[in-house]
Amino acid sequence: MINFSKIQFLVGILVLLVVLAYPQRAIFAFHNEPDGFRGIPWGTNIADLPDMMLDEDGGDSKLFRRQGDGAKIGDVSLESCSYVFYRGRFYGVFIEFSSLQNARAIKETLLRQHGEGHRLRQGRFVEAYQWSGSYVDIWYDFSESSNKGTLTYFYKPIDQQKEANEKEEAREDASGSQKK
């Protein structure tokens, strides 16, 4: 079961990866940019997906699991696959997996589907890649020391709207607290 700290962790990872990759974002693209995930187009309203079960309610951001969704990518068994919605619209996927063998298989699938990607980190025990397209960012991260990895997809138009809304809300909160 995913708890609220999982959403905070996801947001933290996303912010870190964006900061690390920002200089390359303007010049990097990939082929076969997905227009959705597992048959669900980006931006789909949650009301149109009756097979989704709420897993975590973070206010405007909610995580869902899909009934009958195979917890696999190819032959790789996944720890979890969460669908991320912002204000009711589908904009992300968060996948967790474990084992070096599974990490290699997922990375090879991504390389085959989307090309080389941008290597964010390559170390003896940690590996991270980003594929940044016109509309979708894909992040792959695996740590050998923890034997855990994540694969994250974000649909940029909704993600950017979310960031703008959060900045505006923070400004409103700051100006409201100054008036007191």
Side-chain angles (χ1 to χ4, degrees):
M1 184 74 158
I2 297 177
N3 57 34
F4 185 72
S5 64
K6 179 77 129 215
I7 290 175
Q8 292 172 326
F9 173 76
L10 288 171
V11 170
I13 291 293
L14 176 63
V15 168
L16 176 64
L17 292 172
V18 167
V19 168
L20 289 172
Y22 185 76
Q24 295 81 14
R25 291 177 65 130
I27 61 170
F28 191 76
F30 63 94
H31 60 274
N32 298 323
E33 186 171 1
D35 58 1
F37 187 80
R38 293 191 174 169
I40 304 173
W42 302 119
T44 298
N45 191 300
I46 187 62
D48 298 329
L49 301 167
D51 58 346
M52 290 290 183
M53 303 296 293
L54 181 64
D55 196 32
E56 179 61 39
D57 188 340
D60 285 341
S61 295
K62 294 178 175 39
L63 298 178
F64 289 82
R65 300 224 188 237
R66 192 175 188 187
Q67 290 180 329
D69 196 14
K72 287 184 167 242
I73 293 180
D75 292 332
V76 174
S77 294
L78 306 174
E79 300 288 316
S80 68
C81 181
S82 299
Y83 295 76
V84 187
F85 288 76
Y86 177 69
R87 295 187 175 173
R89 296 173 56 211
F90 177 51
Y91 89 103
V93 178
F94 182 72
I95 296 167
E96 295 177 299
F97 57 90
S98 59
S99 93
L100 181 58
Q101 180 180 351
N102 286 343
R104 287 179 177 157
I106 288 173
K107 182 178 79 172
E108 288 306 313
T109 298
L110 291 167
L111 292 171
R112 244 187 344 273
Q113 288 177 347
H114 305 300
E116 282 302 308
H118 175 71
R119 185 177 289 174
L120 299 174
R121 283 190 318 242
Q122 176 74 36
R124 185 169 173 201
F125 300 108
V126 178
E127 188 171 51
Y129 285 85
Q130 176 202 15
W131 291 262
S132 186
S134 299
Y135 299 103
V136 177
D137 279 334
I138 301 173
W139 307 90
Y140 164 91
D141 185 68
F142 181 74
S143 167
E144 265 188 67
S145 60
S146 69
N147 207 33
K148 301 247 179 237
T150 59
L151 176 59
T152 310
Y153 294 73
F154 280 106
Y155 180 59
K156 291 181 189 183
I158 295 175
D159 193 44
Q160 291 164 352
Q161 176 188 17
K162 178 181 179 285
E163 289 177 19
N165 291 346
E166 288 172 349
K167 285 180 185 177
E168 180 61 28
E169 290 167 6
R171 276 195 293 274
E172 289 172 3
D173 288 347
S175 67
S177 65
Q178 289 175 352
K179 293 179 183 177
K180 291 182 180 181

